[in-house]
Amino acid sequence: MSTRKRVAILISGRGSNMRALIEAARAPDYPGAIVLVVSSTPDAEGLKFANSAGIATAVVDKARFGRTDADREAYDAELSAALEDARVEFVCLAGFMRILSSGFVRKWDGRIINIHPSLLPAFRGLKPQAQALAAKVKVSGCTVHYVVPELDAGPTIAQAEVPVLPDDTVETLSDRILAAEHRLYPEALKKALAV
Ligand code: GRF
């Protein structure tokens, strides 16, 4: 019987990190198997790749839910049901643009991770690449961390640095960081699955 952990990836858009994880998990000795991709929106670009790769997909459409605590819990209950149906053991957030309830996060404590395009704890929250440029730092990068109820605040699993060049725009810096993300996330997931 396979000892690979059953992993779900949660996305909202392009899904390039999802793709990097799916491709890495094709290696026979990779410790995780991607068994499900869940999107918070039906038109996420990443769903197409997941489908073409033969991976089960589900949509829990955030448009059907409001922003109250009750809505958040209802959303997370549907998400939990999708994860349970697929017997998921570990969750990777990859550009998932919805804040999860603290109940959900606590339930998955130690088994849910995220990638963020800055060297946390620097530049938490939205547009971290623009924050890095505004702060005129010389080095930025990306972080894979455990998810805790506080946003972008959980323990770091792995980080990768990239230079910030004098003529960088948000776009050029984001592209450089994204290339590093695609290398970092599969390695960090491997490390987290070994714990
Ligand atoms: C990445 O920069 C990731 O770090 C951030 O959202 C972006 C998602 O990109 N959380 P993609 O959907 O993986 O291409």
Side-chain angles (χ1 to χ4, degrees):
M1 216 178 83
S2 167
T3 55
R4 298 169 121 212
K5 286 255 172 63
R6 297 175 65 81
V7 177
I9 307 173
L10 273 49
I11 64 167
S12 296
R14 178 176 57 185
S16 68
N17 279 291
M18 171 211 74
R19 184 173 178 152
L21 291 172
I22 290 172
E23 284 169 352
R26 284 184 178 141
D29 61 345
Y30 198 81
I34 313 303
V35 296
L36 179 68
V37 169
V38 184
S39 173
S40 66
T41 146
D43 50 11
E45 185 66 23
L47 284 173
K48 290 184 199 143
F49 181 82
N51 283 321
S52 70
I55 291 168
T57 59
V59 175
V60 184
D61 190 353
K62 65 178 182 186
R64 291 194 288 111
F65 300 82
R67 288 165 180 268
T68 66
D69 286 352
D71 283 314
R72 207 167 286 293
E73 274 160 32
Y75 185 94
D76 291 356
E78 277 197 30
L79 182 57
S80 290
L83 299 175
E84 277 158 28
D85 283 352
R87 293 180 289 115
V88 167
E89 299 170 289
F90 201 95
V91 176
C92 294
L93 307 185
F96 185 67
M97 298 301 287
R98 182 160 176 105
I99 294 176
L100 296 161
S101 64
S102 55
F104 182 93
V105 170
R106 269 196 291 271
K107 181 172 156 193
W108 286 91
D109 186 32
R111 298 180 300 141
I112 182 167
I113 65 177
N114 179 46
I115 188 158
H116 183 80
S118 76
L119 295 174
L120 291 172
F123 315 130
R124 288 157 63 170
L126 292 175
K127 302 194 173 145
Q129 302 94 336
Q131 293 185 51
L133 286 178
K136 300 192 188 311
V137 292
K138 297 273 188 300
V139 176
S140 190
C142 48
T143 303
V144 177
H145 63 93
Y146 286 102
V147 175
V148 297
E150 193 185 344
L151 199 64
D152 302 328
T156 293
I157 298 162
Q159 288 186 313
E161 293 185 355
V162 306
V164 181
L165 304 179
D167 57 354
D168 262 337
T169 61
V170 170
E171 194 174 41
T172 58
L173 178 60
S174 299
D175 286 350
R176 194 174 309 120
I177 294 174
L178 192 65
E181 292 183 46
H182 296 161
R183 292 188 293 272
L184 185 71
Y185 211 171
E187 281 311 308
L189 173 60
K190 196 173 184 175
K191 193 171 158 190
L193 290 175
V195 174

